[in-house]
Amino acid sequence: MAIRNPADLRHDLKTGQRILGLDLGTKTIGLAISDALLMGATPLKTIKRTKFTKDVEELFGIMDEREVGALVLGLPVEMSGEEGKRCQATRQFAANLLEKRDVPLAFWDERLSTAAVERVMIDDFDMSRRKRAEKVDAAAAAFILQGVLDVLARS
């Protein structure tokens, strides 16, 4: 399946299927999941990255267990709007994933998602640095996914 426009993901889903949001880091992958009505994103977990094959097996297991019909990957665009090495790595991850499983996939500009999530964790929840480190990747994935869900709600 080709990479999709985020606004078109709803058309690719069967009734009740969810969308999984991913925040790809070099050491971890933050995961968030939508509800079945595609209204809200919830942080799910963080996968510690090892080898691509093992990471994707864990990801596919979660997708099967949670009835996920599409993926949204945060695209780490530079503040200038340019796509750097991290964007290339994200696009390559997506291409490799699509070789293993044909699944609707979209990218979402994730600029400032981690910073926004950390700010909320500090200001609103007064979380320590250690607690933030444990939760920030999945929360950033939820921030990314919620952006897509908001677009779907308007379309």
Side-chain angles (χ1 to χ4, degrees):
M1 176 153 298
I3 293 174
R4 311 286 289 161
N5 179 318
D8 295 333
L9 286 178
R10 181 183 302 280
H11 306 295
D12 295 317
L13 298 173
K14 296 175 185 161
T15 303
Q17 283 188 318
R18 302 164 186 265
I19 300 174
L20 191 68
L22 284 74
D23 180 36
L24 294 175
T26 55
K27 296 179 182 177
T28 61
I29 302 172
L31 302 178
I33 193 158
S34 74
D35 61 350
L37 298 175
L38 306 179
M39 295 179 68
T42 303
L44 187 59
K45 70 178 287 183
T46 300
I47 296 173
K48 185 170 173 73
R49 291 188 81 169
T50 56
K51 292 188 175 188
F52 175 78
T53 304
K54 187 173 184 269
D55 298 344
V56 168
E57 282 176 15
E58 185 172 354
L59 183 63
F60 289 161
I62 291 166
M63 289 173 63
D64 295 342
E65 175 185 319
R66 303 273 183 151
E67 298 183 46
V68 171
L71 299 173
V72 172
L73 276 68
L75 193 62
V77 178
E78 308 270 339
M79 290 305 293
S80 65
E82 299 290 318
E83 289 195 14
K85 290 181 181 181
R86 290 193 55 227
C87 281
Q88 291 172 356
T90 299
R91 290 187 184 281
Q92 188 60 57
F93 181 93
N96 293 344
L97 186 145
L98 291 172
E99 285 179 11
K100 299 220 173 259
R101 184 178 284 191
D102 189 20
V103 60
L105 183 146
F107 294 111
W108 187 257
D109 183 346
E110 70 166 38
R111 274 182 276 191
L112 299 177
S113 61
T114 300
V117 166
E118 283 190 326
R119 193 172 323 112
V120 168
M121 288 178 164
I122 293 168
D123 295 345
D124 295 351
F125 298 106
D126 196 27
M127 279 189 172
S128 68
R129 182 183 302 262
R130 194 179 114 237
K131 284 186 180 178
R132 285 195 317 268
E134 294 170 2
K135 299 180 185 287
V136 71
D137 295 323
F143 187 88
I144 292 161
L145 179 55
Q146 190 63 53
V148 171
L149 297 176
D150 291 348
V151 166
L152 293 176
R154 289 190 299 267
S155 61

